[in-house]
Amino acid sequence: MSDRTIEERIEKVLFSEQAIHARTHELGTRIAQDYGPGGCARDTQGRPPILVCVLHGALVFMADLVRQIPTEIEYDFICVSSYGNGTSPGAVSLIKDLERPIKGRDVLIVEDIIDTGYTIDYLTRGFAARDPASIRVCTLINKVVRRETSVEVDYVGFRLEEDTFIVGYGMDYAELYRNLPYIGLLKPEYTR
Ligand code: PRP
């Protein structure tokens, strides 16, 4: 096992802990307002929105985001895996489903990153078939350069213009670096 810390393997910090915290606070405040009176909620029984964390990447963002929402919410988890390749681009499979029904509920999907858009497309289509009152999407990072589907994103933390591979704050390289408190680029020698 290497004795180097994971921080030493980072070439450049793209989004600092402070920047992520500040942006997450803004998003949480906006989400609370939007789902408040006269807002976007469509649940006829007035139940709180269900935030759906897309495992595993969104775990860290989700944990911080929900604590920045000062109004009632519920949350649940789903786990999907993308295994797109040359012959089946964008193929996504369900590893773990939601635990409760979303029929008639306001659903807010929480992602760490939207890249090609295939995962969020799969989730929104699948959820729409369960007849929710509404579906919205929140992502910390909107990486637009490799987008292959048309997806509507309601809440964006940061837009990433470059086609760079980022790690940290939930995002991994070979399952590592999810526990970095910020988002950055790996030194090239650690991506081989
Ligand atoms: C990442 C990320 C999104 C998805 C986005 O998950 O968390 O769910 O990829 O990519 P897309 O827009 O190209 O579909 P990943 O499959 O790496 O699994 P993880 O969340 O467990 O890291």
Side-chain angles (χ1 to χ4, degrees):
M1 193 196 290
S2 165
D3 57 0
R4 295 175 74 91
T5 68
I6 52 172
E7 300 222 9
E8 288 173 81
R9 300 181 194 172
I10 294 299
E11 179 154 283
K12 184 181 170 194
V13 175
L14 285 187
F15 304 105
S16 70
E17 215 176 332
Q18 294 77 7
I20 294 171
H21 176 77
R23 191 72 187 116
T24 303
H25 177 72
E26 288 172 1
L27 289 176
T29 305
R30 238 183 80 206
I31 289 168
Q33 284 167 356
D34 286 359
Y35 284 91
C40 66
R42 295 289 175 267
D43 186 332
T44 55
Q45 296 178 42
R47 292 166 293 188
I50 303 177
L51 274 67
V52 173
C53 173
V54 185
L55 296 171
H56 298 91
L59 174 75
V60 179
F61 175 46
M62 174 81 167
D64 284 343
L65 179 67
V66 294
R67 286 178 288 176
Q68 298 300 327
I69 300 175
T71 49
E72 287 186 339
I73 58 145
E74 296 178 20
Y75 61 63
D76 201 345
F77 299 87
I78 195 163
C79 186
V80 292
S81 153
S82 49
Y83 53 94
N85 55 38
T87 48
S88 58
V92 177
S93 67
L94 182 66
I95 308 291
K96 179 215 168 291
D97 203 350
L98 299 176
E99 278 159 36
R100 282 167 297 143
I102 55 170
K103 186 175 166 62
R105 304 295 301 265
D106 293 301
V107 174
L108 176 59
I109 305 173
V110 178
E111 268 287 23
D112 52 337
I113 185 165
I114 299 177
D115 187 3
T116 63
Y118 284 127
T119 302
I120 207 71
D121 184 61
Y122 169 89
L123 289 170
T124 48
R125 282 173 196 273
F127 288 170
R130 302 180 196 190
D131 202 17
S134 70
I135 303 175
R136 284 193 161 204
V137 174
C138 173
T139 188
L140 179 60
I141 305 289
N142 192 14
K143 184 175 172 181
V144 288
V145 278
R146 299 201 322 146
R147 193 61 43 84
E148 290 184 29
T149 58
S150 140
V151 292
E152 222 173 285
V153 189
D154 303 280
Y155 304 97
V156 175
F158 304 100
R159 188 178 159 100
L160 183 65
E161 305 283 352
E162 305 83 36
D163 189 6
T164 46
F165 190 84
I166 55 177
V167 297
Y169 202 72
M171 286 171 271
D172 73 308
Y173 175 75
E175 293 303 327
L176 297 176
Y177 312 110
R178 294 190 196 271
N179 54 323
L180 274 173
Y182 50 76
I183 296 170
L185 305 180
L186 275 177
K187 291 177 181 165
E189 59 263 40
Y190 294 104
T191 59
R192 289 180 208 123

